[in-house]
Amino acid sequence: MTVSARRRAVLTLPVLLTALGTGAVLPVAAASAAPAARTAVAAPASPPDARYAGKAVALGKDLVAVLRNDPEAGGPEAWIRAVRPHWRPGDAYTYRVLAKLDRTHTASTLHGLSLRLTGTGGSAPALRVTGAEGGPHTFALPGAGTPDARGCTIVTEHSIGAGTVAVLSNGPAGPSAFFEDAGDGTRFAGVIDRARPALPRSAGFAARIVHPDGPAPRLVTTMEGGGHPASTTPFPAPGCVR
């Protein structure tokens, strides 16, 4: 069965159940697989999520490094986080923290990878990773004063029904959202943002960004066709002010 066929089956099932008088109930597998909304770990900042946001890079072995370089928040940092398999840039990464590297703690070993933060006292700090497939890798930390360095772009995940997860991000470029199957993480239906704030009819469900240029954009979705109330999900606030 193709992804689009599977999506249509999941999205139409609640309507069929209603017609039978059993109520609009999601399939057990889809309902149990849908993750709860996940946001970044809170800390004293404005907004709280921003303290642990940054430039996320894949390390392999289900790990990402969230790289920051904000002099006002302690200088170069690499937050090592566990993520689900097949993580890609743009996916949410605010799961379990495994290690933090900074000026006082520059090295760690995780999942067979050796991690070292170098150049912490200079102008070009970097994360050195050895033990990964393809040999050693070096990831430059973002330059001090740039949006990535301060963790401006915040990413969150939200279950929006019918076995679907919306991945929302907001930063200097404005709000954007894409959609995943809650069971296997398959992306579908495309991306919406300031330039294209609504999905086309061919997506199989309705999704649009309300006030994409305003200070408090919201995602409005309708997963079960006409006659059902829409769901509204706020986008995270950007982690810094431009």
Side-chain angles (χ1 to χ4, degrees):
M1 180 182 292
T2 64
V3 171
S4 60
R6 186 171 76 249
R7 302 302 316 164
R8 287 195 296 272
V10 171
L11 295 174
T12 56
L13 182 57
V15 177
L16 294 175
L17 292 174
T18 300
L20 293 173
T22 56
V25 181
L26 291 177
V28 173
S32 61
R38 289 186 283 265
T39 58
V41 179
S46 180
D49 319 283
R51 182 63 183 84
Y52 301 102
K55 177 182 178 181
V57 296
L59 303 181
K61 301 188 177 182
D62 301 337
L63 297 175
V64 300
V66 183
L67 308 177
R68 294 172 52 87
N69 189 13
D70 184 359
E72 296 181 2
E77 298 175 338
W79 292 81
I80 314 303
R81 292 180 174 270
V83 292
R84 62 189 178 192
H86 313 300
W87 184 91
R88 292 178 289 174
D91 289 355
Y93 54 81
T94 51
Y95 305 108
R96 187 161 54 99
V97 175
L98 300 180
K100 176 197 174 188
L101 305 183
D102 56 22
R103 285 173 173 164
T104 60
H105 181 71
T106 59
S108 184
T109 300
L110 292 166
H111 294 194
L113 301 180
S114 295
L115 312 171
R116 181 171 295 277
L117 197 59
T118 64
T120 57
S123 60
L127 177 66
R128 175 78 169 171
V129 181
T130 57
E133 293 183 7
H137 295 277
T138 299
F139 300 93
L141 269 63
T146 64
D148 277 341
R150 296 181 58 195
C152 291
T153 300
I154 306 296
V155 183
T156 58
E157 284 186 351
H158 302 266
S159 174
I160 57 173
T164 301
V165 173
V167 182
L168 310 184
S169 65
N170 199 6
S176 68
F178 64 84
F179 306 91
E180 294 182 343
D181 184 287
D184 60 17
T186 302
R187 296 189 188 186
F188 61 93
V191 178
I192 55 176
D193 52 25
R194 279 179 175 169
R196 192 184 71 165
L199 289 178
R201 289 182 178 271
S202 60
F205 66 99
R208 62 188 175 92
I209 301 175
V210 178
H211 303 310
D213 296 308
R218 303 187 306 276
L219 174 70
V220 176
T221 52
T222 303
M223 304 303 297
E224 300 176 359
H228 295 273
S231 174
T232 299
T233 307
F235 279 83
C240 62
V241 178
R242 286 190 293 174

